[in-house]
Amino acid sequence: MHLILTDAAPIHWAIGGAAIGAITLALLYIGNRRLGVSTGFENICALVVHTPYFTRQSLVSSHSWRLPLLTGLFLGGVLSALLAGGWETTWALGMFDAEIGWGNGGKLLWMFGGGLLIGFGTRLAGGCTSGHGIFGMSNLELPSIISTVCFMAAGIVTTNLIYRVIL
Amino acid sequence: MKTSPLMMLFYLGLGTVFGLVLSRSGAADYNFIQGMFLLEEFQLYGIIGTAVAVTAPGLYFLKRYGKTATGEKLQFERKPGHRGNIYGGFLFGIGWAITGMCPGPILVNIGEGKLYAIAALAGTLVGAGSFGALYPKLQGIFKLPSLQVGTGEG
């Protein structure tokens, strides 16, 4: 299978996985920080919302490392597109276009709805693929193992419902 | 713990490398995520499995060594256990399948120029914001830790 962005095969999974492991360890060894992306959404919310939840010390004190990390993730995407032959905007959504075929407005609604579940769900779970799936599982933390089993199971059921049952 | 401008640059650079890897490995690709959940594509299982296989022993030895590169005491919080781990995990899994993006890749997809990912980010921020606003109510329902501890910094 090819990537939507480059229309070329991805890098080997072993290289991708080893790189993510190295990044996780570098963040801990050099920065003394535990990898986790989803709390970063709270850091963004905290820039405009000033309720007790968003002004708690543990969150505010992490602005200075989570916000640069999140900005970097965005820049990594930009760099990837540039290296692939030039940055351009696109609505291409692979299988979704081929089998569901909604227009741009429909895609925005679909993505917004999914995003609500991601934002609420990851914060209720206390982590996402990085904080629970990679760091937490590597550290053999029971809450992370439970959460990872739950989000993988829910993803498998949802995608199979969409592409194998409904369509 | 103060963060120096040099360290901020480090986090920015590390995030950029992370984003590049997510972009080119398939972790930020709608089709590869659906392929993972349809149990048709091994790619993402290979990535997550290898990442854990590299991180776990590294973490074990770093904890035994107990210090960071600058000689600081190594310290990080373990995730608290609560009902939200289960219910939040289910909700996140549904959202991941719908969008084809988990939190990191949302930002990577926007960077790549995929316009619909902006709606995913908007939804995510509203979702996280609502969670924070409802925290006092959710705390009782899901037996969540006190506000200062939180559900787990992830």
Side-chain angles (χ1 to χ4, degrees):
Chain A
M1 189 150 65
H2 281 185
L3 295 171
I4 296 171
L5 177 73
T6 60
D7 198 23
I11 56 173
H12 195 278
W13 51 263
I15 297 172
I20 293 170
I23 290 162
T24 309
L25 293 172
L27 184 64
L28 183 63
Y29 182 58
I30 298 170
N32 212 359
R33 308 290 184 184
R34 174 191 176 122
L35 178 73
V37 175
S38 69
T39 302
F41 296 127
E42 293 188 349
N43 293 86
I44 298 176
C45 287
L47 298 177
V48 288
V49 188
H50 304 289
T51 59
Y53 186 82
F54 292 104
T55 49
R56 68 185 200 275
Q57 182 55 32
S58 62
L59 183 67
V60 174
S61 66
S62 71
H63 282 351
S64 59
W65 77 271
R66 289 190 195 273
L67 292 174
L69 189 82
L70 262 65
T71 309
L73 285 166
F74 165 80
L75 291 177
V78 174
L79 187 63
S80 174
L82 287 175
L83 294 173
W87 188 91
E88 56 183 18
T89 59
T90 177
W91 287 94
L93 195 47
M95 277 171 77
F96 187 94
D97 291 329
E99 301 199 34
I100 300 177
W102 291 359
N104 299 347
K107 278 182 200 169
L108 290 176
L109 275 176
W110 181 260
M111 289 291 168
F112 185 82
L116 285 176
L117 294 170
I118 298 172
F120 192 93
T122 55
R123 293 326 309 144
L124 178 57
C128 60
T129 329
S130 56
H132 274 319
I134 294 172
F135 198 109
M137 290 224 295
S138 298
N139 200 33
L140 300 175
E141 295 174 32
L142 190 60
S144 293
I145 296 167
I146 291 172
S147 215
T148 303
V149 168
C150 290
F151 64 67
M152 291 307 297
I156 289 169
V157 169
T158 306
T159 294
N160 276 281
L161 271 177
I162 295 172
Y163 283 102
R164 293 232 171 94
V165 178
I166 298 173
L167 289 179
Chain B
M1 190 160 33
K2 292 258 298 172
T3 307
S4 68
L6 184 67
M7 282 307 289
M8 286 192 201
L9 209 59
F10 165 72
Y11 296 125
L12 185 74
L14 198 69
T16 305
V17 176
F18 192 15
L20 191 60
V21 172
L22 291 172
S23 170
R24 291 306 179 90
S25 64
D29 186 277
Y30 181 84
N31 288 348
F32 274 97
I33 300 304
Q34 306 307 320
M36 163 178 72
F37 286 142
L38 289 172
L39 309 176
E40 286 175 352
E41 280 286 334
F42 177 73
Q43 183 77 6
L44 262 295
Y45 293 107
I47 291 170
I48 297 170
T50 310
V52 171
V54 169
T55 305
L59 203 51
Y60 174 81
F61 286 113
L62 263 183
K63 284 197 293 186
R64 283 191 61 167
Y65 178 65
K67 281 183 294 194
T68 68
T70 54
E72 224 176 281
K73 184 175 179 290
L74 192 80
Q75 51 186 0
F76 58 85
E77 309 259 315
R78 289 175 70 89
K79 300 267 190 196
H82 47 77
R83 290 183 190 166
N85 298 137
I86 297 169
Y87 298 103
F90 285 145
L91 294 177
F92 163 48
I94 299 169
W96 189 5
I98 288 175
T99 59
M101 303 171 210
C102 57
I106 292 176
L107 300 156
V108 177
N109 273 292
I110 296 175
E112 289 176 348
K114 293 171 180 161
L115 293 171
Y116 47 77
I118 297 169
L121 178 63
T124 303
L125 292 175
V126 172
S130 313
F131 177 77
L134 296 171
Y135 198 79
K137 286 192 179 129
L138 298 169
Q139 221 175 341
I141 303 172
F142 295 105
K143 303 252 187 299
L144 304 178
S146 74
L147 195 135
Q148 281 308 322
V149 177
T151 54
E153 307 290 326

